[in-house]
Amino acid sequence: MVESRTTVLTPGTVEDRNKHTVPEMDEMEQFTSGDAKFGWSSEIRAFFTVQIFLTRLPAPMWIDLHPGFLMMGMAYLPLLGILIGFIASTTY
């Protein structure tokens, strides 16, 4: 008899995800000590990262989808939502 499975994960994969090993330096600590210095450039980069994430509007070439900047840019989600809504309402 063939066993029917409703998942593509191997048995034990989900259970193994809960077994964390703590690295010496957390990834976010490394990010905040390196690229994410407090200042206007990191805030602008966070804003444009959220813009890239939410829309298909062009952004400067030096912006990438780094998860740290996406987390920093979460504060800009309401502002960007208002801007997108305003543009859509005036356009259509």
Side-chain angles (χ1 to χ4, degrees):
M1 179 176 212
V2 177
E3 179 184 338
S4 65
R5 291 178 42 195
T6 59
T7 181
V8 295
L9 299 173
T10 59
T13 302
V14 176
E15 291 81 11
D16 289 340
R17 289 181 182 168
N18 292 328
K19 299 175 184 173
H20 296 301
T21 57
V22 180
E24 290 181 17
M25 182 178 232
D26 187 36
E27 185 177 339
M28 285 308 295
E29 289 177 6
Q30 185 178 11
F31 171 71
T32 56
S33 66
D35 288 339
K37 299 289 185 190
F38 292 109
W40 286 105
S41 63
S42 64
E43 294 297 323
I44 291 171
R45 188 171 176 185
F47 177 79
F48 280 119
T49 301
V50 172
Q51 178 206 340
I52 292 171
F53 184 73
L54 288 179
T55 67
R56 296 183 66 185
L57 297 174
M61 294 297 292
W62 51 273
I63 304 295
D64 60 347
L65 283 174
H66 191 280
F69 285 111
L70 189 59
M71 289 176 59
M72 284 177 59
M74 288 175 63
Y76 296 114
L77 285 173
L79 175 65
L80 197 59
I82 290 169
L83 288 173
I84 293 169
F86 178 74
I87 292 169
S89 66
T90 57
T91 305
Y92 298 111

